Each structure stands twice: as structure tokens, then as C-alpha cells.
């Protein structure tokens, strides 16, 4: 789990360790030396996968046809179809 401190630096720990921290221990994390923290400017730091960002890849591959490209029968079978439209 990645925890971002108030000073913008981050630390990594397991979820179990984070959940076992008391409020005082969380506040004490602010005083940790910079040798134990990281300064990260990349919002995609330490993604769950190591390839291209999956969300971006899905957006690139997703295709939604325009209304004039959909067959009339398919439009009418759509539960959101309204005759008045």
C-alpha cells in the first residue's frame, strides 16, 4: 500500500501494517527521514501491472458506433429506446 504523507512524500507498507497503525503512529510518519520515503511526481507510480496503462489502453480500443451506424432493429430492441426520440 502506498501512503502519501502531508509533505508530499510517500512510503510503502503492507495493508496489514497500515491497518494496525494508531492515530499517533500515523502522525509520527510525518517525521520519518527522507531516506525512508520517496518523492514521486508520476501519478501512475507503481501500477498493479507493468505494461501500458490498462485504462488508457481500454479507452484507445473501445469503440462505440454512431447512431447512424446502428441498425434500426437493434435500436428498437434497446431497453433505453424511446419512440419519441
Amino acid at each position: 500500500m502506498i501512503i502519501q504523507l502531508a509533505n508530499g512524500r510517500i512510503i510503502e507498507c503492507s495493508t496489514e501494517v497500515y491497518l494496525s497503525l494508531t492515530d499517533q503512529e500515523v502522525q509520527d510518519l510525518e517525521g520519518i527521514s527522507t531516506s525512508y520515503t520517496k518523492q514521486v511526481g508520476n501519478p501512475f507510480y507503481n501500477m498493479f501491472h507493468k505494461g501500458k496503462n490498462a485504462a488508457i489502453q481500454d479507452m484507445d480500443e473501445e469503440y462505440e458506433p454512431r447512431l447512424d451506424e446502428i441498425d434500426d432493429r437493434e435500436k428498437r430492441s434497446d431497453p433505453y429506446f424511446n419512440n419519441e426520440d
Side-chain angles (χ1 to χ4, degrees):
M1 172 174 228
I2 297 174
I3 304 170
Q4 184 170 12
L5 305 174
N7 60 6
R9 298 187 66 84
I10 65 166
I11 59 171
E12 295 182 46
C13 69
S14 67
T15 305
E16 293 83 14
V17 170
Y18 178 73
L19 293 175
S20 69
L21 293 175
T22 64
D23 290 339
Q24 182 61 40
E25 290 172 333
V26 171
Q27 289 177 352
D28 291 342
L29 289 175
E30 296 297 326
I32 289 180
S33 169
T34 57
S35 61
Y36 296 107
T37 61
K38 296 179 183 177
Q39 182 68 38
V40 178
N42 182 0
F44 298 109
Y45 169 75
N46 200 11
M47 296 292 287
F48 292 108
H49 60 83
K50 301 297 180 193
K52 184 178 178 184
N53 295 336
I56 295 171
Q57 186 176 5
D58 287 345
M59 286 188 288
D60 291 342
E61 294 176 3
E62 186 176 329
Y63 173 74
E64 186 171 335
R66 297 188 320 256
L67 286 176
D68 61 342
E69 296 175 337
I70 301 173
D71 184 43
D72 288 338
R73 286 184 219 146
E74 187 177 346
K75 289 179 191 175
R76 288 187 198 112
S77 66
D78 187 352
Y80 296 109
F81 176 74
N82 188 352
N83 286 332
E84 296 175 3
D85 292 343

